[in-house]
Amino acid sequence: VLASNNTPLTSEKQVLQTNLQTTTAEKDELAQTVDVASTFSASNIAITPVNEKRNGKEKTTSTAKRVDKLVVSFDVENRVARSGPADLYVIVTGPDGKVISDASGNTLSTRNDGDRPYTYKTTIQYEQGTRKSIQVPMRQEHFQTGDYKIEIYQNGFKIAEGVRSLKKGGLFG
């Protein structure tokens, strides 16, 4: 009698285990989809080279030797992302093709481009469903003549990029 009762219970247990595995796989897939969907979108990207005067005033310039900092500004928003802290990474590549970064060798693990050194990391307080304006100043001792490529990453994805050219300057520059 016990053996005959045990057979249907064993088959029910197998069905329940299969259902549990399927449900767990679907849950993981949905969590991955929500994670990707919560990546910010960036807009209104501007890269402004700034010359800081002695009196504290700032002036926009495109002459490399006069630039004291590059100010990267942009807006981020997302309807899915929850409110709270979010990390944004800025990668600045100089005209020589090298990423401008400090000696600490910090790297960012991206989802599509592998591990990349980054120039600047900032943590913002994001409020769900709103657009947030961000400004990141990037200082360096000497800016070279040429194109600076700026890439912005969040959640392991590149959400924006832009290029700013700095010219030589002088009378015939």
Side-chain angles (χ1 to χ4, degrees), residues 24-62:
T24 303
E26 287 173 355
K27 178 184 159 274
D28 292 345
E29 191 176 317
L30 283 173
Q32 177 69 21
T33 302
V34 169
D35 179 44
V36 171
S38 67
T39 302
F40 293 155
S41 63
S43 58
N44 300 329
I45 300 149
I47 304 155
T48 310
V50 174
N51 176 10
E52 294 176 319
K53 302 280 188 183
R54 286 196 179 118
N55 62 7
K57 291 187 178 179
E58 294 184 345
K59 181 181 173 194
T60 301
T61 181
S62 59

Side-chain angles (χ1 to χ4, degrees), residues 3-24:
S4 65
N5 286 348
N6 196 15
T7 305
L9 289 174
T10 304
S11 65
E12 283 180 31
K13 178 184 170 203
Q14 287 175 337
V15 169
L16 288 172
Q17 282 181 328
T18 305
N19 288 347
L20 177 63
Q21 288 173 345
T22 305
T23 304
T24 303

Side-chain angles (χ1 to χ4, degrees), residues 45-47 93 146-151 161-166:
I45 300 149
I47 304 155
T93 306
D147 292 341
Y148 284 82
K149 180 180 179 185
I150 287 87
E151 300 167 282
E161 71 178 314
V163 174
R164 184 63 189 221
S165 295
L166 297 180

Side-chain angles (χ1 to χ4, degrees), residues 1 6 14 44 79 88-89 115 119 122 125 150 162 167:
V1 174
N6 196 15
Q14 287 175 337
N44 300 329
R79 294 172 190 257
L88 296 166
Y89 298 87
D115 287 355
T119 307
T122 185
Q125 286 298 323
I150 287 87
K167 62 185 183 191

